[in-house]
Amino acid sequence: MNTLSRRGFLAASAAALGAAQMPHIAFAQGMAPISLSAATRTLDIDGRAATVFGLAGLGGQGLILNPGQRFRIDLTNDLDVGTIIHWHGQIPPNAQDGVPDMPMPLLAPGETRSYDFEARPGTHWMHSHVPTQEMQLLAAPLIVRSAEDVAADRQDVVMFLHDFSFKAPEEVLAEIGAGHGGGHGAGHGAGVQPDQGAPMGGMGAMQGMDHGAMGHGGMGNMGGMMGMGGQMGGMAMDLNDYDWDAYLANDRTLSDPEVVQVERGGRIRLRVINAAAATVFWIDTGGAEARLVAADGHAVQPLSGTRFGLAMGQRLDIEIDLPNEGGAWPILALREGARERTGLILATQGAEVRRLDDMAETAAPAFDTDLAQEARLIALDALPDRPVDRSQMLMLGGSMQPYVWTINGAVWGQHQPVAARRGERVVLSFHNMSMMAHPMHLHGHVFQVVGLNGRRVAGALRDTVHVPPMSMVDVALDAGEAARWMLHCHHMPHLATGMMTEFAVTASV
Ligand SMILES: [Cu+2]
């Protein structure tokens, strides 16, 4: 325990935390590999048992590595189906990246495979790279602490977000594909009639009306489809193409949220991971003063506020300074364009914790349709300035009907690889020509956001960038290991329809 900070120690030893909830602290010196297994587990979701997948062998906060500790894992597949885990945010040798047949096959049931590489600090996560398995919660936090994290007098709190359905993921995908994604409400079926004259219309926009989403965030003009090149304010976009049964923070809903014991006047580093299949969240710290300090595990110039958003695959580190008094501070995650919410509670010892409804009174706005949040993020460690060797445009397309999503007009299997040579400075321009947002994730690299709708910025370092409808985001990177790296949308139903290509790096000349 000697490497834990005072607050970390206090939190970890609090009576509220059973042994199973203790963080998995592993020490750097001479340690054996950590054993993890992909397995089934049972959750209680609002009083109803749910059998889901998960990674066993971890504490409640996920896998936590200390500074200098290598990523040494023996992964065993205890499921009765093949699986493979991607270490999202890490840059392992390509053979350990965890994508089916790229280049390693799925682990067969009962198989164990070893992983060993240098861990990159920050808030990251790990998940099955089979979309239906990720939708079944085969995912967990992966936190690598920096020396600064260890020295700082602050308490780490992990907030791992997911969306959940009691239905099998294949059934969920079939419903989305058939245009019944939002079909939970009476009379909703009438809203999903194909609108042949408006290819961008359909269920998402209609669902938004059900949820009152269009009255917020400058998303008026419900009925009409915008013209190309129009501004976001007059646009009807498609949000939330599926109504999930529950929204989870650390596997719990607001009917029984995690209550994290904190100190009066304490400083919290909230590590938020959006592991949802298809839900963008706003993090709302309510009455607690907060600042955003890292995106996707990379430090940004601190940005003050009480509400920050993140798309699927993304992470945010938010520092919170608690007042010098006792109390309870809910940290909520709001589903964009809707009233549903989830979250956890920070509470001092003995504080009264009030039950919160899992529906807000008003819908949260759509996230970052104008890239306003992204524009405010500035990397602390920008990429070194150098000439660009290669630029590539990636057109993001697709529609709700038929439900198919593409990169450069192609689905996976018909794609043209995006090519580069090792060491080249490459700029990728994601141009979203569709009415849904796409969080685009590149494996094996860290990129910097350098352009937002044509305006140059010295933006955040990331591995997953949110590209809103009818928007363009440029990212710069230095091409890494000569290998085939996945480049895909992190919306699982989009990925399942084939919204993936490859960044094919060849050896330098
Ligand atoms: Cu997408």
Side-chain angles (χ1 to χ4, degrees), residues 87-88 124-127 134 139-140 142 160 273-275 313 315 490:
W87 321 107
H88 190 132
H124 305 300
W125 63 303
M126 46 197 176
H127 62 86
E134 207 283 333
L142 166 52
F160 195 71
I273 299 160
N274 188 347
R315 291 85 70 204
H490 226 287

Side-chain angles (χ1 to χ4, degrees), residues 6 56 81 89 109 121 173 202 216 235 266 291 339 350 354 374 412 435 449 460 463 474 479 483:
R6 183 170 58 95
V81 292
L173 290 176
H216 296 266
M235 170 181 214
R291 60 202 161 268
R339 291 173 53 213
R354 275 183 299 170
E374 199 66 43
W412 176 252
M435 301 306 275
V449 176
D463 53 54
D474 306 319

Side-chain angles (χ1 to χ4, degrees), residues 405 436-440 489-491 494-495 499:
W405 302 88
M436 284 197 82
H438 304 287
M440 299 302 297
C489 177
H490 226 287
H491 184 296
H494 291 186
L495 176 58
M499 194 169 188

Side-chain angles (χ1 to χ4, degrees), residues 90 336 379 492:
Q90 296 296 324
E336 73 160 340
M492 288 297 124

Side-chain angles (χ1 to χ4, degrees), residues 297-322:
H298 302 278
V300 294
Q301 287 186 13
L303 180 62
S304 293
T306 56
R307 192 182 270 202
F308 304 100
L310 75 169
M312 297 78 82
Q314 295 186 319
R315 291 85 70 204
L316 295 180
D317 285 22
I318 298 170
E319 276 195 357
I320 299 170
D321 287 325
L322 297 174

